[in-house]
Amino acid sequence: KEVERDDEPLPISIDNEDDRKNCDGLVAQALLTANFEAAVEVCLYNDRMAEAIILALAGGPELLAQTQKKFFQQNKGNLSRLISSVVTRDYEHIIRTCELDNWKEALAVVLTYAKGEDFANLCTVLGDRLDSAGEDYINSACLCYICAGSIERLVECWAKTTTNPNSSDALSDVVEKVMILRKAVEMV
């Protein structure tokens, strides 16, 4: 899609005294010679991140990746860390560093973005974290193991939730969970 453009005259100034305009002039000079790297550097130096990202997009995937990396180095807030993990597809970072009270959100990231074997591995890693955190998280760990398709870990985790794992009610409960797991795995 094309950007709507107006027909007003476009001044292309490459030398100005004003700092803001000097930055504009340096970016204009870089663009006139197709030097996207220099244009991005000037924008980054002058804290003009939006322009840097837009120019990096035009400069190609390598320049965009470098610009994103610099952006994330400069912005270390929680949202930036989440964005960085999603953009770089480092879902394991989210799974390994999330606060356990946010396990549902971490699992949502895995359900949304992870594919194939990575999906099962990430669900297992989250389940292991929850399992090792104590009895407050055991049922949550069981759910992660169900998502991962890990019957063995599910049964081990489930055994921690019951006082008498050999009772008929307890065995019925675990069989029900395993059957749900198998059906879920078949559907995937």
Side-chain angles (χ1 to χ4, degrees):
K1 294 182 179 180
E2 283 197 32
V3 177
E4 188 176 311
R5 303 188 197 296
D6 58 37
D7 292 332
E8 287 185 37
L10 173 64
I12 303 174
S13 180
I14 57 173
D15 41 64
N16 287 302
E17 299 300 318
D18 180 359
D19 279 348
R20 171 79 179 177
K21 291 188 177 188
N22 186 35
C23 173
D24 291 354
L26 292 172
V27 171
Q29 286 178 12
L31 290 177
L32 292 174
T33 60
N35 190 344
F36 288 100
E37 294 86 3
V40 167
E41 285 300 320
V42 169
C43 289
L44 290 173
Y45 181 78
N46 288 281
D47 199 28
R48 293 173 68 177
M49 192 54 67
E51 288 98 334
I53 296 289
I54 290 169
L55 290 168
L57 280 166
E62 189 175 311
L63 181 59
L64 179 59
Q66 292 169 359
T67 306
Q68 287 173 338
K69 183 178 178 183
K70 289 177 184 176
F71 172 82
F72 293 128
Q73 287 170 344
Q74 291 175 2
N75 297 280
K76 302 239 183 230
N78 291 334
L79 181 59
S80 290
R81 289 175 55 207
L82 176 62
I83 292 169
S84 173
S85 294
V86 170
V87 167
T88 61
R89 295 179 174 90
D90 186 6
Y91 313 121
E92 187 168 351
H93 179 262
I94 296 169
I95 296 301
R96 291 198 183 277
T97 62
C98 73
E99 291 182 6
L100 287 181
D101 287 341
N102 297 122
W103 73 269
K104 290 177 190 173
E105 291 80 2
L107 182 59
V109 167
V110 173
L111 291 167
T112 302
Y113 297 107
K115 304 287 185 247
E117 191 176 310
D118 286 342
F119 174 81
N121 290 338
L122 291 169
C123 288
T124 300
V125 169
L126 182 57
D128 290 346
R129 277 193 71 202
L130 292 165
D131 188 14
S132 66
E135 72 180 57
D136 289 345
Y137 295 101
I138 293 294
N139 287 328
S140 304
C142 286
L143 178 61
C144 290
Y145 294 139
I146 288 171
C147 291
S150 178
I151 294 173
E152 222 175 272
R153 286 226 169 95
L154 171 62
V155 171
E156 289 171 10
C157 188
W158 165 85
K160 296 174 186 177
T161 67
T162 184
T163 54
N164 185 5
N166 294 324
S167 74
S168 61
D169 286 343
L171 290 173
S172 175
D173 182 50
V174 77
V175 167
E176 184 178 307
K177 283 183 168 89
V178 169
M179 295 307 291
I180 290 170
L181 172 88
R182 285 185 188 244
K183 277 292 184 195
V185 170
E186 283 175 18
M187 293 184 84
V188 171

